[in-house]
Amino acid sequence: MTASATDAARKPVILAVDDDPQVLRAVRRDLRSAYADDYRVLSASSAVEALSVLDALDERSQDPALFLVDQRMPDMTGVDFLLEAVSRYPDAKRVLLTAFAETEAAITAINRVRLDYYLMKPWDPPAERLFPVLDDLLSDWAAAYRPIYRGIRVVGHPVSAGTHSVRDFLTRNGAPFRFLNAETDPEALLLLAEHPQAGLPLVVFPEGAPLSAPGTAELADRLGLATTASRPHYETVIVGAGPAGLAASVYAASEGLSTLLLDADSPGGQAGTSSLIENYLGFPAGLSGGDLARRAVSQATRFGAELLHPVDVVGLRRADPARILTLADGSEISAETVLVATGVSYNRLEVPGAERFEGAGLYYGAATTESSSCISHHVHIIGGANSAGQAAIHFSRYAARVTVLVRGDSLEAGMSRYLVDEIRRAPNIEVRLTTRVLALDGGDRLEYITLLDDAAGRRTVEPVNFVFTFIGGRPRTDWLHGVVDCDDRGFVLTGPDLMSSGEPPVSWPPGRVPFLLETSVPGVFAAGDVRAHSIKRVASGVGEGAMAVALIHRYRSHG
């Protein structure tokens, strides 16, 4: 089914029923001329055929908005059809088409089927005698319409580490869902009564058994995410699906390399959690990190790249001429070349209470899945770089107050000017400089934060609802230990950084020096935030990913 056909199938339905072919054609023509943009217009030449249409709508979970039915039909009168139809779809509007002699039947139908209107034939001109009536009825229907949600439902506590993990995973993988508060939502209480042994969060799918407190592997399986490679060997394997890895996968696949992209979580990396990236070239209105990731994945897969996630890579070894990647499940993948683009993860907040309240009031990164939970609350943002500024602006649209806690004495020192200006214009954002967190406290969830203003020497304990922290990153390179050279902070050394003595690494083959983004292992490259001395920007990550593919071609040509 094409995208346009899918969109049409999702529209609410107007169903016209008349046994006179000429009248039915006229009805269908007039309805489509006025309502085709917002409604799917269907027609049936008998009541029996119309009931079959209702069966099909029920199977496809589609909702009729209005029935326009002729009264005099040989197999079943219009009133009798409406009696059956409204028993299935009680909220649909009902209009009866009648001849002058049938007005008594129409008036009776007002009581029998709660008829909304009856129209005398002919209704010409429709702009005066048909459309105003239907406009009012459809407007009333649309105002009251509450479609039955038939997608994924997540039942859990609003502030819970397990619930947050599930909601965040579904959101980052583009799986629509509805969250139901396990404490107050009537639908949640019904679902929990149906599954009394279930743990929270409970994830209910349109089909199949629900999942009780699932991990990401279980969710990935139910969502149909690929986690197993289709072949044992690839020309290039990219580890990490952030901006650098996604860009590399697009260029590698488009240039004909068999390409595998692996990610331990969800495509987008740290940038994928950004609520709005406003300084990325070509998007003057900005775009979210999630949108950028989805577009890049679509582009890479269109060129033939294969994406597996969530898949953990736990080891790398040389088996010349191949490089062998070991996955967490014990399986191995062979590659001619490897690109390390695993990025960084936010540093943990090393204060009392931080570990206890992670996911229960304390969050690392933007965690935009919590936006609705923050409505009318007080949000604290820890950090003074761009990611913290983007988060502050995003949450200011939901929270009553946003407080940005910065250890330094200037916001401009670590944040782009456009973000600084936006923060200062926002009436509900407060910036507190020279301030750091000493402790977090509370009961089942985070309730208090202890702060120290270094400049004033003042310590305070304040109520807190939500804390989002952005305090620098640590590279995801534990799996490279002892194989690829890194600096003292764990960032991967590449190119000139490997030649501090003027000579390539001892293990390097004679005759050439490492390419610009090549690591201490020939044929293994690094790009993006994981690389030592990289520029921590989305655009530079994309650029390095593209550059890495050009260098991979040079390596394959010259060894």
Side-chain angles (χ1 to χ4, degrees), residues 286-332:
L287 80 167
S288 72
D291 285 341
L292 178 64
R294 281 189 289 275
R295 294 180 188 202
V297 167
S298 176
Q299 196 173 9
T301 54
R302 182 170 65 86
F303 285 126
E306 187 177 340
L307 168 64
L308 303 182
H309 72 100
V311 172
D312 276 309
V313 179
V314 297
L316 170 69
R317 73 175 191 276
R318 294 178 63 169
D320 292 333
R323 306 291 175 256
I324 306 298
L325 293 159
T326 303
L327 308 185
D329 63 3
S331 62
E332 294 185 334

Side-chain angles (χ1 to χ4, degrees), residues 451-503:
L451 302 174
L452 177 64
D453 183 335
D454 285 318
R458 183 174 64 252
R459 175 186 177 124
T460 57
V461 178
E462 304 174 10
V464 67
N465 300 123
F466 295 89
V467 173
F468 298 88
T469 179
F470 308 80
I471 51 173
R474 49 196 172 101
R476 297 172 174 169
T477 53
D478 292 347
W479 60 285
L480 295 172
H481 181 70
V483 179
V484 172
D485 290 351
C486 299
D487 66 13
D488 55 3
R489 295 188 299 157
F491 290 92
V492 178
L493 298 170
T494 58
D497 289 334
L498 294 167
M499 303 179 61
S500 56
S501 63
E503 298 292 333

Side-chain angles (χ1 to χ4, degrees), residues 1-12:
M1 184 180 286
T2 65
S4 59
T6 301
D7 291 341
R10 290 174 180 163
K11 293 177 181 177

Side-chain angles (χ1 to χ4, degrees), residues 378-439:
H378 186 183
V379 168
H380 285 71
I381 305 290
I382 303 174
N386 277 7
S387 53
Q390 290 165 351
I393 292 164
H394 171 74
F395 285 110
S396 71
R397 302 185 183 110
Y398 300 86
R401 293 173 57 203
V402 175
T403 298
V404 182
L405 306 173
V406 184
R407 294 191 65 167
D409 58 6
S410 167
L411 201 57
E412 289 84 352
M415 194 177 293
S416 294
R417 184 73 206 187
Y418 81 93
L419 288 171
V420 175
D421 291 341
E422 283 193 59
I423 285 172
R424 288 186 171 152
R425 284 195 298 265
N428 62 335
I429 299 179
E430 171 197 16
V431 178
R432 297 170 66 172
L433 303 175
T434 67
T435 301
R436 53 194 172 99
V437 179
L438 298 183

Side-chain angles (χ1 to χ4, degrees), residues 243-311:
L246 287 167
S249 68
V250 168
Y251 284 97
S254 68
E255 293 170 14
L257 296 176
S258 59
T259 304
L260 177 66
L261 178 61
L262 307 171
D263 196 90
D265 189 0
S266 306
Q270 200 176 86
T273 67
S274 294
S275 54
L276 188 65
I277 303 169
E278 294 185 83
N279 59 349
Y280 188 62
L281 183 67
F283 293 89
L287 80 167
S288 72
D291 285 341
L292 178 64
R294 281 189 289 275
R295 294 180 188 202
V297 167
S298 176
Q299 196 173 9
T301 54
R302 182 170 65 86
F303 285 126
E306 187 177 340
L307 168 64
L308 303 182
H309 72 100
V311 172

Side-chain angles (χ1 to χ4, degrees), residues 22 47 50 86 111 120 133 143 183 196 199 205 229 264 275-277 338 350 381 415 432 440 453 498 531 551 559:
Q22 186 174 352
V86 299
N111 295 322
M120 302 287 290
V133 172
E183 300 167 6
F205 294 84
S275 54
L276 188 65
I277 303 169
V338 172
E350 300 292 341
I381 305 290
M415 194 177 293
R432 297 170 66 172
L440 302 173
D453 183 335
L498 294 167
R531 192 177 67 83
L551 297 176

